[in-house]
Amino acid sequence: MTSVAVADSLSTRRTGSLAKTMDEVRALVWRNLSHIPRMPERLADVTVMPVMFVILFGYVFGSAIVIPGMEMSPESSAAYREFLIGGIFVQSVVFMCITTAVGVVNDMKEGVIDRFRSLPISRVSVLLGRAIASLVEGSLGIFVMAICGLIVGWGAHNGFGNAVAAFALLAGIAFAMICIGIFVGQLVKNPMSAQAIGFTLIFPLTFASNAFVPTDNMPGPLKVFSEWNPVSAMVQAVRELFGNLPPGTPVPDAWPLQNPVLATVIWIVVFAVIGMTLAVRKYARGRDQ
Amino acid sequence: MRANSHSGSGSELAVEAIDLRRSFGETKAADGISLTIPRGMVFGLLGPNGAGKTTTVRILTTLLRPDSGVARVAGFDVTEEPDEVRRRIGLVGQYASVDEIISGRQNLILIGRLYGMTSSQAKRRADELLERFDLLEPGKKAVKTYSGGMRRRLDLAASLVVSPSILFLDEPTTGLDPNGRAATWDVISTMTKGGTTVLLTTQYLEEADRFAEKIAVIDHGRVVAEGSPAELKARLGRSTLVVHLGGGLTEGAATAAVTRFAASAPQRRGDELVVSIDDLAGTAELIKALGAAGATLDQIHIAKASMDDVFFELTGRDRMPEGKAA
């Protein structure tokens, strides 16, 4: 019987070998991405939402918010949109944390994860498969946003290399946030709480930052918080690399904003390592029910 | 690794569990469970909801670590060499499920790929299984559109992607309607005839009686009895004598007449008197006693012990939920 022959050939491949793990990850990425054609609405979080933010903030608030060094005018509104896009890029990759957590909770709830845990596969495969699939979705979102940005007048003005670096940085942030999301998704019991926890943490982080408005005029403690908020460093790094800040724009004295690219890389490593470590440990231990 | 000394494949025992314990907070889900299942046997683990069946299966399938105790499956220690165990088992349980968003075929291909099959091997195997489990048409659709019975057949197929040497069927028919249950039983009976070792857990006596060569009855995290269905019935179940009284005798008088033959208090059901008896040889005397008391006997019926009676005897709980099974 074919199945017996297959089982024999399988026993020669060791679980945990790099080649086997890569194969597993590939299969699991395929599984996660197979969800998209069957429930395209899942992509709304990474595509439609950022576009709405661009339109709402760019045109509603953009008509009233003036970035430092400009007078209120049609030009100031265009300059705000240029300023805003970097913030929305970062906001939407940071939100990947929530969408990933929701996906993981659903897997746990439906018992798919237990099916995987009963198979002879490496512990990291399931998590890595989820992370990479989420990253693919996130990249699609970044692409859609970039197109949308170009339509409303945003652009990359700092050379091709820096633009590539900016996109790489966004992908790195997305990956780090996905790692956190995979851990959080295993902690909570249902998608609603994943969403609630996510929004409670992520909303203040993205809004109490320089993502939508410059931090200069914020009241004291909030200003300090915003300047040291990881999101601000990330947004600043993306704006600098894309060349979205008018020359001579004042930069706050806080170290992360003076060295935004380095600070962002540090944050990515910190979040990715903490998230992945906790996620793998939690996964290996399994649910206690 | 210490478990290497008894390296798997030579062992005669498919499952060997010694004193498994696992608590969740205050609840002792497994409170010293020991089991031995020889290769090739269909073994039933019977118990009510919450008895510890699923906890036991989850420990044996490496999904849950025991607090203490040792378990070897296919000769490999479940905590020391979980991968060796996972390679050799198939699992069907409501908690170890499939992906509902993608199709049945995609699920089977995914599992094949995760076992290390090439893409074309996995597709071929998926199609074989879909055909065998009568899922070729629905195989293309998202699993969430499946009926309960189709869904369970897919779960069963998923456990057979590679031929496992030990199959764990954890409550394979719970929650199914009578049609789904009958269809699933057909599938299980072909699965259990192939010489594969099967550990079947169920809360349905009929199911255990039908498939298992040996049954362990489990309650409150402990094995309370073990043996073949016939042994258990002979040892624990009592025969029941049902006498249809034609009148002429008050209930009290009839009860008084049979009490000394009965193993437990006789019960009155309408015109019938239900008496459990240990020894059928006493039947004649019992009937004589009733006659002497002035009873007219319309009808006498003797029933052998059912698994129901065995279960009641062992756990003191009321009859097993028969569900919607006829």
Side-chain angles (χ1 to χ4, degrees):
Chain A
M1 219 170 93
T2 43
S3 55
V4 175
V6 167
D8 283 347
S9 73
L10 298 181
S11 56
T12 59
R13 306 190 57 176
R14 307 307 299 181
T15 306
S17 76
L18 187 62
K20 174 88 169 48
T21 305
M22 296 287 284
D23 246 26
E24 292 159 9
V25 172
R26 199 175 311 141
L28 288 161
V29 169
W30 169 79
R31 173 237 163 188
N32 283 307
L33 293 180
S34 302
H35 287 180
I36 297 174
R38 293 183 188 264
M39 34 182 335
E41 69 274 15
R42 236 186 50 181
L43 282 183
D45 283 353
V46 292
T47 54
V48 178
M49 216 170 72
V51 171
M52 269 170 46
F53 266 100
V54 169
I55 293 165
L56 290 177
F57 277 82
Y59 291 92
V60 177
F61 291 172
S63 61
I65 297 173
V66 180
I67 60 172
M70 293 200 91
E71 296 289 315
M72 174 71 79
S73 65
E75 289 76 41
S76 80
S77 183
Y80 176 69
R81 285 197 296 279
E82 177 100 353
F83 171 87
L84 174 71
I85 300 292
I88 295 191
F89 268 133
V90 172
Q91 184 203 35
S92 61
V93 296
V94 168
F95 271 39
M96 293 293 309
C97 166
I98 301 173
T99 44
T100 305
V102 170
V104 172
V105 182
N106 280 328
D107 280 356
M108 306 287 295
K109 225 178 59 172
E110 282 171 23
V112 192
I113 295 279
D114 264 351
R115 160 75 59 206
F116 295 149
R117 289 177 65 229
S118 76
L119 298 176
I121 59 177
S122 151
R123 283 168 178 177
V124 295
S125 301
V126 174
L127 305 181
L128 218 50
R130 160 62 67 182
I132 292 173
S134 289
L135 195 56
V136 171
E137 285 173 23
S139 307
L140 181 71
I142 293 172
F143 177 76
V144 171
M145 257 183 295
I147 301 289
C148 173
L150 290 171
I151 293 171
V152 301
W154 165 86
H157 313 292
N158 212 357
F160 182 73
N162 280 327
V164 170
F167 283 119
L169 218 49
L170 285 168
I173 299 166
F175 183 77
M177 297 315 292
I178 288 164
C179 293
I180 302 269
I182 293 175
F183 172 61
V184 173
Q186 295 182 80
L187 281 186
V188 297
K189 293 268 182 268
N190 65 69
M192 296 298 281
S193 31
Q195 223 143 13
I197 293 174
F199 279 112
T200 317
L201 291 175
I202 303 288
F203 242 86
L205 270 184
T206 51
F207 278 86
S209 77
N210 59 3
F212 303 102
V213 293
T215 54
D216 310 278
N217 296 328
M218 291 181 183
L222 184 61
K223 182 165 189 269
V224 174
F225 176 83
S226 301
E227 285 171 357
W228 287 87
N229 179 348
V231 173
S232 294
M234 295 168 182
V235 173
Q236 186 75 16
V238 168
R239 282 183 186 139
E240 272 190 24
L241 289 170
F242 281 134
N244 294 144
L245 293 167
T249 308
V251 178
D253 281 337
W255 182 87
L257 296 182
Q258 290 290 328
N259 306 278
V261 176
L262 179 58
T264 299
V265 171
I266 293 173
W267 282 122
I268 290 173
V269 173
V270 168
F271 286 141
V273 168
I274 291 178
M276 219 15 151
T277 311
L278 292 177
V280 170
R281 190 181 301 174
K282 180 79 185 151
Y283 179 77
R285 238 182 247 167
R287 278 189 310 179
D288 267 1
Q289 288 298 328
Chain B
M1 281 210 199
R2 114 193 124 80
N4 278 344
S5 51
H6 24 232
S7 217
S9 1
S11 169
E12 281 307 306
L13 289 177
V15 175
E16 186 183 13
I18 304 163
D19 202 27
L20 293 177
R21 287 167 197 274
R22 173 72 205 220
S23 301
F24 299 107
E26 293 291 292
T27 318
K28 289 175 181 169
D31 192 18
I33 288 188
S34 299
L35 295 173
T36 44
I37 307 177
R39 275 174 192 267
M41 177 181 274
V42 178
F43 188 95
L45 200 56
L46 173 68
N49 245 334
K53 302 184 299 291
T54 289
T55 300
T56 306
V57 171
R58 289 177 60 91
I59 291 171
L60 296 177
T61 53
T62 77
L63 293 178
L64 191 68
R65 276 174 168 273
D67 294 332
S68 67
V70 186
R72 270 184 290 277
V73 170
F76 294 97
D77 188 296
V78 293
T79 50
E80 308 262 337
E81 296 167 291
D83 268 316
E84 297 298 336
V85 173
R86 287 176 193 144
R87 239 170 236 289
R88 290 166 176 79
I89 59 170
L91 171 62
V92 178
Q94 282 169 324
Y95 44 87
S97 184
V98 295
D99 187 330
E100 300 208 327
I101 299 166
I102 59 177
S103 73
R105 185 168 185 267
Q106 284 176 311
N107 268 293
L108 296 178
I109 293 172
L110 171 65
I111 292 168
R113 298 279 289 121
L114 291 175
Y115 271 112
M117 293 181 187
T118 64
S119 185
S120 62
Q121 280 174 323
K123 279 179 187 152
R124 205 170 56 223
R125 183 65 182 150
D127 291 333
E128 278 170 23
L129 287 167
L130 290 173
E131 192 175 352
R132 180 171 154 196
F133 287 85
D134 196 23
L135 287 169
L136 271 180
E137 255 325 289
K140 297 168 196 153
K141 298 196 188 108
V143 175
K144 62 180 168 204
T145 65
Y146 288 18
S147 71
M150 279 157 61
R151 176 61 199 271
R152 212 55 62 88
R153 293 209 299 281
L154 180 65
D155 285 339
L156 292 167
S159 70
L160 296 181
V161 169
V162 294
S163 304
S165 48
I166 302 164
L167 195 53
F168 291 87
L169 305 178
D170 193 9
E171 305 209 11
T173 62
T174 299
L176 292 182
D177 62 19
N179 284 337
R181 174 161 308 157
T184 307
W185 276 351
D186 285 346
V187 174
I188 293 175
S189 60
T190 61
M191 285 165 86
T192 53
K193 274 179 193 138
T196 309
T197 312
V198 179
L199 174 58
L200 168 78
T201 81
T202 181
Q203 39 177 318
Y204 302 115
L205 301 150
E206 195 187 347
E207 200 164 280
D209 204 4
R210 180 174 181 142
F211 295 111
E213 298 161 60
K214 199 174 165 195
I215 293 174
V217 181
I218 176 173
D219 194 29
H220 299 300
R222 296 172 158 275
V223 175
V224 291
E226 206 174 335
S228 71
E231 277 167 10
L232 286 177
K233 285 182 217 169
R235 182 144 52 96
L236 295 155
R238 298 192 169 102
S239 298
T240 312
L241 181 74
V242 181
V243 186
H244 195 90
L245 296 167
L249 194 63
T250 62
E251 183 182 340
T255 305
V258 301
T259 296
R260 70 189 167 99
F261 303 99
S264 57
Q267 288 181 313
R268 185 74 182 252
R269 275 199 316 234
D271 285 343
E272 289 175 345
L273 193 62
V274 182
V275 188
S276 344
I277 44 180
D278 280 328
D279 186 3
L280 285 176
T283 313
E285 299 233 11
L286 190 152
I287 294 167
K288 223 187 283 173
L290 274 172
T296 328
L297 306 179
D298 277 359
Q299 220 181 351
I300 295 173
H301 174 75
I302 298 174
K304 278 196 70 181
S306 69
M307 283 303 291
D308 244 356
D309 302 321
V310 171
F311 188 80
F312 182 74
E313 193 69 35
L314 285 171
T315 65
R317 295 193 201 190
D318 211 345
R319 302 193 157 230
M320 298 297 277
E322 284 304 321
K324 288 161 197 137

